[in-house]
Amino acid sequence: MTVFVEQLNLGGHGPRVAIKDTIDVAGFATKAGCRALETAAPATASAEVVERLLDAGYHLAGKTNLHELAFGTTGINHWTGTPLNPRFPAHVPGGSSSGSAAAVAGGQVPVALGTDTGGSIRIPAACCGVFGLKPTFGRVSRKGVMPAESSLDCVGPLAADMDALIDCMRVIAPGFDALPPIEGVSIGLVQVQAIAPIREAVEAAIRQSGLASAPVSLGRFVQAYDAGLVVINAETWAACGELVATGLVGEDVAKRLLAASKTTPADLEAAEAVRAAFTAEVDAALRDFPVLALPTMADAPPLLEAAADTSKLVGMTSLVRPFNLSGHPAIAIPLPSVQGFPISLQLVAAKNDDELLCAVARHIAHQINQD
């Protein structure tokens, strides 16, 4: 089970935590699952989120595997190996934070850190049947996290339950307050395309919550997905493009990077216009409904045997990537499934309403487990 790429034994006697290998830990090289970084020098300092965890007494268990350069959705890595999806072993573990999700799902740790630029926490959380939070953009420090510059990327926790996730957020997010009451909170059910079993499970979970709900439409949703791809392509090429010339980048990621290199300034300008318009649209919906709900994934995760060319599976992020573009906090919640594949509910809240988002997520998870 290729979950940890580096075993650690650091910190106190508190909860065990795993750290995605795009996040610096002092004394250990950050290799991001890429052979081109095999000889990278050890980090001279730990990322700010790691320092916060150590100061709070967390025990660092290891650095986790990932989709190479955090630029893929399946979690398949032909150099470091692909983590087994512990609960759904026929399916991909999801990317890019595959090892972090698998470590939680397999019980090695109650909580792990991942990063999410286009769904890279929520997709593996959904695939592996665990909780995963993308905080509000900028709420959690990215100092010491690869890539150094990003307008999309967020550090956040994946956890076995909401209590572990909330405890971790209280440590890594300065000013994370007590959870607010949720009485009177209503939920907007975002109208998106998804297969029937997923759509029905999401609607059932909202009904079980006992919270008022009504449909809501986001007309620029598909545009936002496309624009998010443009931005991540430009920013990842700027951060990692030079590695392609080494010949040591995996074929699937190299193919995506070379395609990303063709992003033009005009493409970016158009994407930024969509970002502004879609953000305003989401903000408006959240004035009517404090929380939005939709599936995390529109379909079952790909089977491992059908996921050889991971560059063709970027569409796994169709329902999550728009909220990277807009910067709103979003969380993936595992739902019961009798389909043989995982199903996950995604909730979205207003910027910096991460506490409300977690309060509603914890309530829904509790109601599901009661029934």
Side-chain angles (χ1 to χ4, degrees), residues 34 43 48 52 58 62 88 94 98 138 142 153 159 169 176 209 229 240 245 248 251 255 286 296 367:
C34 183
E48 189 171 316
R52 286 183 171 276
Y58 276 71
F88 302 92
S98 52
R142 294 191 65 260
D153 190 47
M169 278 296 288
F176 191 86
S209 76
L229 278 174
C240 304
L248 299 176
E251 183 180 356
K255 184 189 298 185
L286 288 165
T296 307
Q367 294 301 113

Side-chain angles (χ1 to χ4, degrees), residues 54 84 88 99-100 102 141 151 193 224 241-242 266 277 323 343 349 355 359:
L54 290 171
L84 176 72
F88 302 92
S100 293
S141 171
S151 70
Q193 294 294 316
E242 63 184 17
F323 302 110
I343 296 177
E355 292 90 342

Side-chain angles (χ1 to χ4, degrees), residues 154-232:
C154 304
V155 177
L158 300 98
D161 57 62
M162 281 303 302
D163 288 338
L165 186 148
I166 291 163
D167 288 344
C168 184
M169 278 296 288
R170 288 193 172 117
V171 172
I172 66 173
F176 191 86
D177 294 326
L179 301 193
I182 65 167
E183 287 78 9
V185 169
S186 58
I187 295 179
L189 279 166
V190 182
Q191 302 302 287
V192 293
Q193 294 294 316
I195 63 172
I198 290 177
R199 190 175 63 252
E200 290 163 3
V202 164
E203 292 170 354
I206 299 306
R207 284 196 303 272
Q208 286 173 254
S209 76
L211 300 173
S213 65
V216 65
S217 177
L218 297 175
R220 293 182 174 88
F221 197 88
V222 175
Q223 282 181 285
Y225 168 77
D226 292 335
L229 278 174
V230 170
V231 176
I232 195 175

